[in-house]
Amino acid sequence: MSKIKDAKIVIIGGGAVGCGTAYQLALAGETDILLIEKESSVAAVTSAQAAGLVGQVRTTIERTQLAMWSVKTFSDLQQDPKTNPTWRQTGSLRVALNEERVEEFQRMKAIADRAGLETEYLTPKVAEAKWPGMNFSMAKSILWCPTDGYLQPYDLTASYCSHSGRRGVQFSVNTAAQQIVMKDGRVTGVITDQGPIQCDIVINAAGAHAFHIAKLVGLELPIVPVRHEYFISVPCEGLTPDFPVIRIPDLSLYIRTDVNALLVGGWEPNPLHTDPHKYALGGNPPGIEPDWEVLAKFAEDLVPQFPKASDLGIRSVFKGWPTFTPDGRFIIGPTEKVKGFVMAGGCNAHGVSGSAGIGRHVAESLLEPKPSPYVQSLSPNRFSDSKWTWPDAQASAARIYAEYYGLTKP
Ligand SMILES: Cc1cc2nc3c(=O)[nH]c(=O)nc-3n(C[C@H](O)[C@H](O)[C@H](O)COP(=O)(O)OP(=O)(O)OC[C@H]3O[C@@H](n4cnc5c(N)ncnc54)[C@H](O)[C@@H]3O)c2cc1C
């Protein structure tokens, strides 16, 4: 006899996206949900590695609103003294080092204004008062967003679980999905290593295994794992965790403080990526060793802005395989080929900060008779009959990664 219960909805994957989706569905009143996670705890894979940066200033109004929804959710969850995401609303500073970037900031600020997101330009002097030790004299423009910040990804995921659990969502860790059962083109269940589960809907939130889970129902989706890493420095005097997050897109760098330490990450021009055909559903993507050359370049590029970076040793390196898509957009919502099969993946390294907004969009795609045009545009169906190829998909995903902070066109 199966050890686990049947449910109307099974979510495969207990990262930030799966748990955020469970939470948003539960808020919408949908609580007959079982989330299964193959590891012994939630947030054990990519989500655990994330820097937890939450930025709302984006290049489209929809992405800005999605991020604003996430921030609202994190602020709500932070009110719970027992389980909260350790959300620190430090604000963020976005620094332009050339004139084209200044123009991009103007476009981004106009989008923020339309979305109702508070932003303002700061002088280098005011920025320095917020982040002592950082040299802003080269800045051509500094855009401040007071409601940005960062959180602890594990705490966020645990908070989603706690709140959705209180509403009736069930969780089963150490439970790996192995097959999806279908009848007449509809999902009817999931076979796991703990036994079968009957369900009407499967939500695929399996991160770097979302490709394999989609394959189980005969769908080929371009979900490309691309390596990402950052380092935390050895103790650095004078830094406290309440300093604002800094993004310097012209150097492809992001920075935040940790307790007495600096966190530095960036987007490499030639990122490593892997082909999910090369590992199995029951296996893992290739192991990642810290790439000291890449990490040292992040530190070197930071020295003109933060001279202390030249002496800072590396205490620890965080790394993983976030997934990217060829068009840089999430893959969210039901699939037309298999009824009851729903995607929640292809997060393009926004899966922690975007998790609440992504979860909300998944809920909308499932529960609303007519989801918004934006949510419809994220549908997995955009890849079902197009003529994409794997080499092109991988090259495009790597380009999206490399140009993460690239200049957007007017
Ligand atoms: C170094 C680094 C820094 C990052 N920094 C940020 C950041 O600052 N902000 C941000 O928003 N994002 C950041 N990201 C990206 C972010 O981590 C990802 O977008 C996010 O974690 C994706 O969440 P997920 O739930 O889709 O995937 P995951 O966290 O990988 O979760 C997927 C889960 O599915 C489970 N699973 C897989 N197969 C099965 C199966 N067969 N049965 C059951 N369970 C299964 C896995 O075990 C895993 O727990 C960073 C990523 C890295 C690597």
Side-chain angles (χ1 to χ4, degrees):
M1 205 176 83
S2 175
K3 284 188 243 164
I4 38 182
K5 289 189 190 150
D6 299 334
K8 181 177 167 194
I9 300 174
V10 171
I11 300 176
I12 301 175
V17 171
C19 297
T21 299
Y23 175 64
Q24 295 295 338
L25 283 168
L27 282 186
E30 197 65 64
T31 54
D32 188 3
I33 299 174
L34 172 65
L35 183 149
I36 60 172
E37 166 54 54
K38 71 179 169 59
E39 301 296 331
S40 57
S41 93
V42 293
V45 185
T46 329
S47 297
Q49 297 295 313
L53 306 193
V54 178
Q56 300 164 91
V57 181
R58 302 278 168 185
T59 51
T60 67
I61 194 149
E62 292 90 354
R63 284 297 287 272
T64 308
Q65 284 166 339
L66 180 143
M68 288 168 74
W69 177 262
S70 287
V71 163
K72 184 191 173 308
T73 304
F74 304 151
S75 303
D76 289 348
L77 292 172
Q78 189 63 20
Q79 301 309 313
D80 186 333
K82 285 202 189 120
T83 163
N84 62 57
T86 322
W87 165 228
R88 287 180 188 271
Q89 211 154 18
T90 56
S92 77
L93 297 161
R94 185 175 282 264
V95 181
L97 298 181
N98 62 53
E99 291 305 331
E100 284 158 302
R101 192 66 72 176
V102 172
E103 285 169 24
E104 184 192 55
F105 281 16
Q106 286 162 358
R107 292 193 293 276
M108 290 172 112
K109 178 154 181 26
I111 287 168
D113 289 347
R114 275 173 56 207
L117 174 69
E118 185 187 347
T119 53
E120 67 173 296
Y121 293 113
L122 299 186
T123 61
K125 206 171 160 203
V126 175
E128 264 163 41
K130 291 187 183 296
W131 218 111
M134 186 65 67
N135 174 10
F136 291 97
S137 65
M138 291 91 141
K140 303 270 184 215
S141 173
I142 303 168
L143 189 57
W144 162 245
C145 178
T147 52
D148 275 0
Y150 67 92
L151 47 68
Q152 298 302 330
Y154 179 82
D155 295 349
L156 170 67
T157 314
S159 180
Y160 284 143
C161 293
S162 166
H163 282 268
S164 42
R166 285 180 222 168
R167 288 176 163 81
V169 173
Q170 307 273 322
F171 294 84
S172 183
V173 294
N174 292 314
T175 306
Q178 296 173 323
Q179 284 174 49
I180 293 176
V181 189
M182 294 193 291
K183 193 167 178 227
D184 302 329
R186 280 208 69 90
V187 165
T188 58
V190 180
I191 308 284
T192 77
D193 58 356
Q194 303 298 318
I197 310 165
Q198 283 186 20
C199 64
D200 298 335
I201 293 170
V202 165
I203 299 179
N204 177 4
H209 288 94
F211 164 82
H212 306 83
I213 297 289
K215 268 292 219 193
L216 294 179
V217 297
L219 291 173
E220 180 102 2
L221 289 173
I223 299 173
V224 182
V226 184
R227 183 189 71 175
H228 185 53
E229 54 187 347
Y230 64 82
F231 71 83
I232 296 185
S233 74
V234 295
C236 177
E237 217 175 289
L239 301 184
T240 63
D242 52 356
F243 283 18
V245 170
I246 298 184
R247 294 179 179 81
I248 314 177
D250 298 310
L251 300 176
S252 276
L253 287 182
Y254 59 80
I255 300 136
R256 76 161 168 84
T257 44
D258 207 61
V259 182
N260 256 331
L262 192 68
L263 182 158
V264 185
W267 308 97
E268 308 155 49
N270 296 303
L272 259 187
H273 48 87
T274 188
D275 180 344
H277 294 92
K278 290 189 181 155
Y279 58 92
L281 176 61
N284 286 316
I288 303 176
E289 289 302 318
D291 190 328
W292 299 113
E293 210 175 303
V294 169
L295 296 165
K297 177 88 169 60
F298 294 164
E300 192 185 308
D301 288 349
L302 185 60
V303 171
Q305 275 70 32
F306 189 63
K308 273 191 193 172
S310 59
D311 304 328
L312 278 185
I314 292 179
R315 190 187 70 202
S316 45
V317 176
F318 287 71
K319 52 209 177 350
W321 293 107
T323 57
F324 280 71
T325 58
D327 57 6
R329 309 181 75 230
F330 306 129
I331 305 182
I332 289 178
T335 48
E336 65 191 1
K337 282 195 179 155
V338 182
K339 301 288 172 233
F341 188 78
V342 178
M343 285 299 306
C347 296
N348 297 282
H350 281 146
V352 169
S353 55
S355 56
I358 293 171
R360 189 185 189 208
H361 287 339
V362 175
E364 181 181 335
S365 75
L366 262 179
L367 307 177
E368 293 295 324
K370 201 165 180 288
S372 70
Y374 175 65
V375 169
Q376 288 183 44
S377 77
L378 301 174
S379 162
N381 301 332
R382 71 188 189 274
F383 295 114
S384 58
D385 51 5
S386 66
K387 306 219 172 352
W388 62 273
T389 63
W390 269 101
D392 286 349
Q394 287 184 69
S396 301
R399 184 178 44 76
I400 300 280
Y401 177 103
E403 294 176 1
Y404 200 86
Y405 284 166
L407 267 172
T408 48
K409 303 248 159 36

